[in-house]
């Protein structure tokens, strides 16, 4: 009997070798894929960080312009964006005067009453909402988010959607800047002034601003930044950052 392996044994050995080779090749391809994925993820992370720095620089560049009274009056609702060049790249910074909205903590309640009347709420329901806001102001900590107004009983879905873009908690003033407010809110302020005899219109005050921007340089690199800046007359601290939110 010969000691050499038969055809069946040689076939089995060859099959086993092919299986081992296939497994090794699969592992190599998998490791290569993982390497490429890791490199790709790192590249996206670097781009996102770069975009975040770019947005921060663009927003910081716009802040000094807000102290120019003539320029500030042209911003807000009239001109919604400023183009800023940072390192050869253009970033669009959207600008809105926060005080073009009615402040939930400090705004005159006559303005809220007129806003609700303008929405067609019957007097009893509008008065109930106003009294709920008055009671909430005196009974607890200040409102911290507009959504707290929107869940008050007495407001329907349409009224909530309307008020959402006209109310804020960040102006921290009793007036409304009608220059930068929506026309129906400016009309409500005017009616409230006539009814109460008080001065409720800030008329281009522009002391609290919302600056927002976003930038993308490829798939997965989109970064958005929203900031709320309050101006002051203190030369040592000319502005305060009330909010700074980045998606990076």
């Amino acid at each position: 009997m010969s000691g050499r392996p038969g055809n069946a044994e040689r076939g089995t050995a060859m099959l086993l070798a092919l299986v081992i080779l296939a497994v090794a090749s699969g592992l190599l391809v998998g490791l290569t894929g993982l390497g490429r994925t890791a490199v790709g993820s790192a590249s996206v992370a670097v781009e996102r960080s770069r975009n975040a720095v770019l947005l921060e620089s663009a927003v910081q560049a716009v802040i000094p312009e807000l102290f120019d009274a003539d320029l500030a009056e042209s911003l807000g609702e009239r001109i919604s964006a400023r183009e800023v060049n940072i390192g050869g790249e253009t970033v669009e910074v959207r600008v809105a005067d926060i005080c073009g909205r009615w402040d939930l903590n400090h705004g005159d309640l006559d303005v809220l009453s007129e806003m609700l009347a303008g929405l067609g709420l019957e007097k009893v329901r509008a008065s109930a909402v106003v009294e709920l806001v008055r009671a909430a102001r005196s009974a607890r900590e200040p409102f911290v988010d507009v959504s707290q107004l929107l869940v008050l009983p007495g407001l329907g879905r349409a009224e909530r959607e309307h008020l959402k873009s006209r109310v804020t908690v960040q102006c921290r003033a009793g007036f409304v800047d009608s220059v930068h407010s929506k026309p129906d809110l400016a009309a409500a302020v005017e009616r409230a002034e006539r009814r109460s005899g008080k001065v409720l219109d800030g008329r281009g005050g522009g002391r609290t601003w919302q600056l927002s921007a976003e930038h993308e340089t490829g798939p997965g690199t989109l970064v958005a930044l929203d900031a709320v800046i309050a101006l002051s007359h203190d030369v040592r601290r000319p502005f305060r950052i009330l909010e700074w939110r980045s998606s990076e």
Side-chain angles (χ1 to χ4, degrees), residues 172-217:
R172 303 181 182 185
F175 66 82
V176 174
D177 178 2
S178 66
V179 172
H180 297 143
S181 66
K182 293 185 181 295
D184 58 282
L185 176 53
V189 171
E190 186 178 352
R191 292 195 302 271
E193 284 187 327
R194 287 201 306 265
R195 192 179 78 178
S196 67
K198 294 178 284 189
V199 177
L200 304 172
D201 190 342
R203 301 186 193 283
R207 72 178 196 180
T208 307
W209 299 88
Q210 181 180 34
L211 306 177
S212 55
E214 58 184 35
H215 197 67
E216 183 178 24
T217 51

Side-chain angles (χ1 to χ4, degrees), residues 71-243:
L71 179 61
E73 189 168 336
S74 71
L75 294 172
E77 292 294 328
R78 293 183 180 179
I79 299 177
S80 60
R82 302 288 290 173
E83 288 192 347
V84 182
N85 187 284
I86 303 293
E89 292 196 50
T90 300
V91 177
E92 184 180 85
V93 179
R94 295 179 296 280
V95 182
D97 181 359
I98 288 290
C99 290
R101 302 183 180 195
W102 180 80
D103 191 279
L104 187 51
N105 289 307
H106 302 280
D108 192 281
L109 291 174
D110 285 336
V111 175
L112 175 60
S113 179
E114 291 296 338
M115 275 199 291
L116 297 175
L119 287 173
L121 265 72
E122 57 272 22
K123 191 171 182 179
V124 172
R125 191 151 63 103
S127 296
V129 172
V130 170
E131 289 308 313
L132 283 171
V133 173
R134 190 194 309 276
R137 283 179 174 181
S138 60
R140 64 178 185 188
E141 294 295 318
F143 289 97
V144 296
D145 194 270
V146 171
S147 61
Q148 291 172 284
L149 169 66
L150 304 183
V151 298
L152 290 179
L155 293 174
R157 184 174 182 178
E159 289 91 8
R160 292 191 184 102
E161 284 301 312
H162 182 87
L163 291 172
K164 190 162 60 175
S165 61
R166 292 160 175 81
V167 176
T168 183
V169 294
Q170 293 165 324
C171 176
R172 303 181 182 185
F175 66 82
V176 174
D177 178 2
S178 66
V179 172
H180 297 143
S181 66
K182 293 185 181 295
D184 58 282
L185 176 53
V189 171
E190 186 178 352
R191 292 195 302 271
E193 284 187 327
R194 287 201 306 265
R195 192 179 78 178
S196 67
K198 294 178 284 189
V199 177
L200 304 172
D201 190 342
R203 301 186 193 283
R207 72 178 196 180
T208 307
W209 299 88
Q210 181 180 34
L211 306 177
S212 55
E214 58 184 35
H215 197 67
E216 183 178 24
T217 51
T221 65
L222 177 65
V223 177
L225 174 63
D226 283 289
V228 176
I229 308 297
L231 308 185
S232 75
H233 298 291
D234 186 347
V235 294
R236 295 168 300 179
R237 193 183 182 190
F239 67 89
R240 290 181 298 120
I241 298 174
L242 302 182
E243 184 176 298

Side-chain angles (χ1 to χ4, degrees), residues 22-44:
V23 171
S25 298
L27 287 172
L28 181 60
V29 170
L31 290 173
T32 302
L34 287 173
R36 288 174 180 168
T37 300
V39 170
S41 298
S43 177
V44 168

